[in-house]
Amino acid sequence: MPDVLITENEIEARVVELAREIDDDYATSDELILVGVLKGSFIFLADLARRLKVTHRVEFIAVSSYGESEDTTHSGAVRLLMDVRLDVSGKDVLIVEDIVDSGTTLEYLYRVLKARAPRSLKTATLLRKPDRLQVEVEVNYLGFDIPDVWVVGYGLDWAERYRTLPYIGKIDPGG
Ligand code: PRP
């Protein structure tokens, strides 16, 4: 099994803190929409949403990187595979990601949703790899900055494996 990078307890404690911050920041909002980015965010989103006291709705969006099938690294271009069902104009939108790697996906989604005139638009991610960032993208709610290692678990996969590990593990895909 993958070596542990972040334990289940550490994740839970951080999710509780993030939920508190979000509760405080959106205390006066009755229009908060969490937009989970499939597939990786599904566990983080589920845990975060269940910790929130503020009224919210859950939506999902799915994207794909061009060239993904030939190459497991991202080519830089992103396309929308599945859109949210709700009109987000005038709403408080919070994009929920599992990981920001190059930043390409989050930057793309930010632009797509911003164009729909939400009342506010913010971003949350459980993990970020500062050493890999290629595009500038603001993260408003961050779980953990991590080193440039291949991570799995808690929603993140390696060739669809390990998504439901309860912790963040690291693997060596070549080893
Ligand atoms: C991962 C992750 C982010 C994105 C981050 O998704 O869930 O959406 O890559 O990378 P970036 O910052 O370089 O854009 P992936 O394409 O692996 O799909 P999945 O969530 O369905 O596993």
Side-chain angles (χ1 to χ4, degrees), residues 37-41 63-65 68 74 78 97-106 132-133 155-157 160 163:
V37 185
L38 292 173
K39 300 177 191 175
S41 75
V63 295
S64 169
S65 302
E68 212 169 45
H74 289 183
V78 182
E97 261 288 23
D98 55 340
I99 186 164
V100 173
D101 191 321
S102 68
T104 310
T105 304
L106 191 56
R132 296 263 308 170
L133 274 177
L156 292 103
D157 73 308
E160 295 302 326
R163 271 199 208 277

Side-chain angles (χ1 to χ4, degrees), residues 18 22 34-35 37 41 44 48 94-100 106 122-127 138-143:
L18 292 174
I22 293 167
L34 307 178
V35 176
V37 185
S41 75
F44 176 45
L48 184 68
L94 178 59
I95 305 172
V96 180
E97 261 288 23
D98 55 340
I99 186 164
V100 173
L106 191 56
K122 288 196 191 182
T123 62
T125 186
L126 181 72
L127 305 174
E138 189 177 1
V139 172
N140 301 105
Y141 304 97
L142 172 66

